[in-house]
Amino acid sequence: MTVQEMHYAVDQGLQKVASSVYDYFLPEEVDFWLNRAQERFIKQRLGKVSDPKRLGFSETTKRLDDLRLIITSDYEDSVVASTAPEYINFDLPIDYMFLVNARVKMYVDHCGNPVTSSSPSTTRDVRIVEQDKVYAMQQNPFGKTKPDYPLAIIFDDEVRVYQDSEKFILETLYLDYLRQPVQITLSSSIDCELAEHTHHEIIDIAVKSIIEAIESPRYQTTSIEQQQSE
């Protein structure tokens, strides 16, 4: 659907539910509710907790198709490998929204020799943990960062990955992530970039959100209708 068609569908949805109560909304107001609905739709599909059906976006083909157009694969950020720091701060991409997968390229030596950038290289998945637990885990010989499963936290606009300079040093972070979608804007003719089959669901969320905001007790977006939407 084009942005013009989505605006028309929102107007029709409001008129259908509430007759002529909603006579006129500014285009900028409809843009706001569509973008808010788009963001809510993404968050609902992302994880099992936020998804009404408790599936998560990668559990079914339908969920993957819902978000496939905003998945970015193999973003990378590199540094000069060094044994000096305890950790490396890698930059997140500027359009980052949610993490799908994180991996690091590292240099490892299993023969007891000092690790350098000439040592054998490998790529391993990163173990993302909570910030308040990372320092305790680093003191735990069973939980600390290891070549097979390096420890990391996400904060601000960075991913901090911990290394053990006696065993491995880091060079490159690879990310698969959900990027921020472009904002739906009628005045600039910017359409929703999510898959076509999601547009009606986004419109339904927008209509329900508008009604909830204006007539709060009358229609809640946590209603059975929303939980059963697909």
Side-chain angles (χ1 to χ4, degrees):
M1 298 177 72
T2 65
V3 62
Q4 292 84 359
E5 290 170 333
M6 293 187 79
H7 271 245
Y8 178 77
V10 169
D11 180 65
Q12 292 301 301
L14 291 173
Q15 298 303 326
K16 182 179 179 180
V17 172
S19 185
S20 60
V21 174
Y22 309 102
D23 288 330
Y24 184 72
F25 276 89
L26 293 173
E28 294 79 7
E29 293 176 310
V30 178
D31 285 342
F32 169 82
W33 288 108
L34 283 172
N35 284 303
R36 186 171 179 178
Q38 178 177 245
E39 182 179 350
R40 179 177 292 181
F41 178 86
I42 292 169
K43 290 179 178 178
Q44 284 179 345
R45 297 307 188 266
L46 181 65
K48 292 184 178 181
V49 175
S50 57
D51 179 5
K53 295 183 180 296
R54 299 294 188 266
L55 294 175
F57 94 99
S58 62
E59 294 295 320
T60 69
T61 303
K62 165 64 168 64
R63 288 295 193 265
L64 282 171
D65 281 341
D66 285 347
L67 303 180
R68 59 183 165 79
L69 295 181
I70 58 169
I71 296 176
T72 298
S73 300
D74 298 327
Y75 162 87
E76 62 180 80
D77 184 38
S78 298
V79 298
V80 176
S82 171
T83 59
E86 177 189 0
Y87 53 78
I88 303 293
N89 288 335
F90 295 99
D91 292 330
L92 287 169
I94 59 174
D95 60 353
Y96 173 87
M97 190 174 188
F98 295 111
L99 180 67
V100 175
N101 177 266
R103 309 167 301 283
V104 286
K105 177 184 177 183
M106 64 179 72
Y107 296 100
V108 185
D109 191 286
H110 297 288
C111 300
N113 300 317
V115 182
T116 68
S117 57
S118 300
S119 301
S121 65
T122 186
T123 301
R124 291 285 185 267
D125 285 341
V126 171
R127 178 172 34 134
I128 304 292
V129 299
E130 298 172 18
Q131 270 186 279
D132 60 343
K133 295 180 180 179
V134 66
Y135 296 107
M137 294 180 72
Q138 278 291 81
Q139 302 302 315
N140 184 335
F142 300 103
K144 66 184 298 186
T145 191
K146 297 177 181 179
D148 291 336
Y149 216 13
L151 206 62
I153 58 173
I154 296 178
F155 72 101
D156 198 13
D157 294 322
E158 298 180 332
V159 179
R160 175 174 292 178
V161 187
Y162 291 82
Q163 64 179 20
D164 184 339
S165 58
E166 295 182 359
K167 298 179 180 179
F168 69 99
I169 55 176
L170 305 169
E171 182 181 65
T172 305
L173 174 74
Y174 301 99
L175 290 182
D176 300 337
Y177 66 97
L178 293 181
R179 62 176 175 79
Q180 297 174 1
V182 298
Q183 294 291 289
I184 302 167
T185 310
L186 180 63
S187 61
S188 301
S189 296
I190 300 177
D191 300 331
C192 176
E193 64 175 333
L194 296 185
E196 180 82 15
H197 70 268
T198 68
H199 294 181
H200 285 291
E201 296 178 62
I202 292 171
I203 290 166
D204 288 343
I205 295 173
V207 170
K208 292 171 184 177
S209 297
I210 292 171
I211 296 172
E212 179 188 357
I214 297 174
E215 302 181 12
S216 182
R218 178 178 174 186
Y219 209 108
Q220 298 296 323
T221 53
T222 53
S223 63
I224 295 176
E225 288 95 329
Q226 184 184 14
Q227 294 183 22
Q228 293 179 342
S229 67
E230 275 268 314

